[in-house]
Amino acid sequence: MAYAVGLLLVVSACKKENDQDDLNSLLVYEVALDAFVADLQAQPLDSAGLSNRVRDYLAPQSGSFFGATVALLDSTRKVYYSPYWYRLNDILALKNLADPAYQIDEQEWLRRPIDSGYAIWTEPYFDAGGGEVWMRTRAVPVVINSEIVAVATTDVKVQ
């Protein structure tokens, strides 16, 4: 019995340490994305230069930052433009997530921040039609003049 209790305490301590490591690593993504969102809110947000801004956000990040997008919303809160930059082997590649086949307006990573008004982390999921990998997404609403005008994301590849 004492052995079982001791083993449980060791496993519990390891889990707490791993949980703390996970929280610390997630904080890196949160800080980077929050800074990007602040920049998006401070500078005019339009489709003309948005793809370059997303690429310029993702490019200097470590390789653990798999992908990023900013999904621009129309007045009905539907996406009309969403350039998605992601790591494909050793290069950055671009997809348009506003493609109807992707059904972006039904994606959890988009709906939850729009509906709640808060930043979220998704549970791990396979991103079919986007990055084509298992990932978690950090998604933050971009608010200008008290209106959510976009959702910015960072994707983290998971095993």
Side-chain angles (χ1 to χ4, degrees):
M1 176 78 165
Y3 172 76
V5 171
L7 184 59
L8 181 61
L9 290 174
V10 168
V11 169
S12 178
C14 289
K15 179 164 178 20
K16 285 181 184 174
E17 185 175 301
N18 289 338
D19 287 348
Q20 189 61 44
D21 289 345
D22 289 345
L23 289 175
N24 288 338
S25 67
L26 294 180
L27 186 59
V28 170
Y29 305 107
E30 291 178 10
V31 168
L33 186 57
D34 289 350
F36 182 47
V37 168
D39 180 64
L40 292 169
Q41 291 169 328
Q43 303 294 322
L45 190 62
D46 62 20
S47 57
L50 185 60
S51 180
N52 291 338
R53 289 175 78 180
V54 174
R55 183 197 62 224
D56 292 347
Y57 159 71
L58 183 62
Q61 307 297 347
S62 75
S64 65
F65 284 70
F66 176 75
T69 193
V70 175
L72 293 179
L73 306 175
D74 65 17
S75 61
T76 65
R77 293 185 162 185
K78 300 290 184 192
V79 175
Y80 67 90
Y81 183 58
S82 186
Y84 180 63
W85 284 93
Y86 64 103
R87 298 183 193 284
L88 181 63
N89 301 319
D90 293 332
I91 63 167
L92 290 181
L94 175 64
K95 280 188 182 178
N96 176 14
L97 295 184
D99 180 332
Y102 183 64
Q103 299 178 341
I104 191 170
D105 290 306
E106 297 173 21
Q107 301 295 321
E108 175 193 11
W109 61 261
L110 179 78
R111 294 286 7 129
R112 281 182 46 213
I114 291 172
D115 295 342
S116 71
Y118 296 104
I120 60 105
W121 273 105
T122 66
E123 292 297 321
Y125 66 100
F126 186 80
D127 188 33
E132 300 295 335
V133 298
W134 281 93
M135 65 174 64
R136 289 186 75 186
T137 298
R138 168 76 172 170
V140 178
V142 179
V143 179
I144 298 176
N145 296 327
S146 303
E147 291 291 324
I148 298 173
V149 297
V151 174
T153 72
T154 293
D155 294 329
V156 181
K157 201 171 176 181
V158 297
Q159 307 302 346

